[in-house]
Amino acid sequence: MNRINQLFNSDKKDILSIYFCAGDPTLEGTAHVIRTLENNGVDMIEIGIPFSDPMADGIVIQNAATQALRNGMSLKLLFEQLRDIRKDVKIPLILMGYLNPIMQFGFENFCRRCVECGIDGVIIPDLPFRDYQEQYRIIAERYGIKVIMLITPETSEERVREIDAHTDGFIYMVSSAATTGAQQDFNEQKRAYFKKIEDMHLNNPLMVGFGISNKATFQAACEHASGAIIGSRFVTLLEEEKDPEKAILKLKAGLK
């Protein structure tokens, strides 16, 4: 069974997934960040593939991607860095990146390398659902790679149910139609959106992302979903601390 499915089938509550951008703050630090996050109790990790035009991301992750590219990070190098990661890392690992570099690499080759490295799933924010259905799904399923789709407050109930019926792993519930970035709290409108999706009783688990940065936002997300994804806040702390252990400990202290 895919590690993503194993995690959500374990009945674990308040699942914490952390995003960071490969190659930032240092080119060679990717595997060290992953191991440090697992050793400090993170349940799942999203490894960002840096791209020059990350349209769904706010300024923090944009800057991280720019720095990673300046450092020399590429998809080819990332796969080389992850080659031995499964010798000791057990938790689910997901690659998150935009379609252009993946298409340049070749989608089937991309899936093949994911399997070789023990990657469990991918999140491609700019992959249209119809294109996924018609071109990419059959390849991803052949390699056992979960393609995680995003929904937003603007996604129709019909489309949410269609995504739920044709994907597996979890659904990434974007907290707002804005780009990524830390928020102090969620307003009633966003909380009502979380509850609306929860009340649809979908087959797939839900994870809330975009804007999770502290105890209030994490708890609000976990109230209506299996857990939450934290990106910008961790990326900021990693940049400030220059040490993944100090960054994750500071982040988790803010969630208590």
Side-chain angles (χ1 to χ4, degrees), residues 131-156:
D131 289 359
Y132 159 72
Q133 286 279 75
E134 294 176 354
Q135 302 176 45
Y136 298 97
R137 179 181 176 182
I138 189 171
I139 300 171
E141 289 182 347
R142 184 185 309 146
Y143 288 90
I145 299 296
K146 307 297 184 186
V147 178
I148 309 302
M149 303 300 294
L150 287 74
I151 63 172
T152 76
E154 280 69 42
T155 307
S156 69

Side-chain angles (χ1 to χ4, degrees), residues 150-166 171-173 191-206 223-225:
L150 287 74
I151 63 172
T152 76
E154 280 69 42
T155 307
S156 69
E157 181 173 338
E158 179 184 10
R159 176 50 61 92
V160 172
R161 292 200 182 278
E162 187 179 11
I163 288 171
D164 186 48
H166 296 288
I171 290 176
Y172 192 130
M173 184 161 54
R191 290 170 184 262
Y193 156 61
F194 298 159
K195 188 174 189 308
K196 172 191 168 186
I197 301 299
E198 178 190 24
D199 288 346
M200 290 176 67
H201 301 293
L202 302 174
N203 295 317
N204 278 296
L206 299 167
E223 184 178 346
H224 301 289

Side-chain angles (χ1 to χ4, degrees), residues 153-251:
E154 280 69 42
T155 307
S156 69
E157 181 173 338
E158 179 184 10
R159 176 50 61 92
V160 172
R161 292 200 182 278
E162 187 179 11
I163 288 171
D164 186 48
H166 296 288
T167 62
D168 179 29
F170 67 92
I171 290 176
Y172 192 130
M173 184 161 54
V174 177
S175 67
S176 70
T179 56
T180 56
Q183 297 180 31
Q184 291 305 305
D185 203 351
F186 290 131
N187 60 29
E188 287 304 314
Q189 184 178 13
K190 290 178 181 176
R191 290 170 184 262
Y193 156 61
F194 298 159
K195 188 174 189 308
K196 172 191 168 186
I197 301 299
E198 178 190 24
D199 288 346
M200 290 176 67
H201 301 293
L202 302 174
N203 295 317
N204 278 296
L206 299 167
M207 291 287 287
V208 178
F210 288 44
I212 314 293
S213 64
N214 56 20
K215 180 179 179 180
T217 49
F218 185 74
Q219 288 184 342
C222 293
E223 184 178 346
H224 301 289
S226 295
I229 301 156
I230 300 179
S232 295
R233 179 59 180 156
F234 178 72
V235 171
T236 297
L237 289 171
L238 191 58
E239 183 65 32
E240 290 173 356
E241 301 292 339
K242 309 298 184 187
D243 180 337
E245 180 133 22
K246 290 180 180 178
I248 188 59
L249 289 175
K250 193 169 185 179
L251 174 67

Side-chain angles (χ1 to χ4, degrees), residues 91-142:
I91 63 175
L93 298 177
I94 297 170
L95 290 186
M96 184 169 185
Y98 292 85
L99 192 55
N100 185 284
I102 295 172
M103 287 182 66
Q104 293 291 327
F105 197 82
F107 189 72
E108 183 154 6
N109 189 35
F110 173 79
C111 291
R112 184 182 300 112
R113 294 298 301 273
C114 283
V115 172
E116 290 172 359
C117 297
I119 296 298
D120 303 290
V122 298
I123 300 170
I124 309 173
D126 58 342
L127 172 61
F129 184 65
R130 180 172 294 178
D131 289 359
Y132 159 72
Q133 286 279 75
E134 294 176 354
Q135 302 176 45
Y136 298 97
R137 179 181 176 182
I138 189 171
I139 300 171
E141 289 182 347
R142 184 185 309 146

Side-chain angles (χ1 to χ4, degrees), residues 4-37:
I4 297 171
N5 298 118
Q6 288 178 350
L7 173 61
F8 289 104
N9 288 342
S10 69
D11 292 327
K12 183 175 176 56
K13 306 297 182 185
D14 301 344
I15 290 170
L16 174 61
S17 181
I18 296 291
Y19 167 95
F20 76 99
C21 185
D24 176 72
T26 65
L27 180 61
E28 301 298 334
T30 305
H32 177 53
V33 173
I34 293 170
R35 291 186 172 101
T36 302
L37 291 174

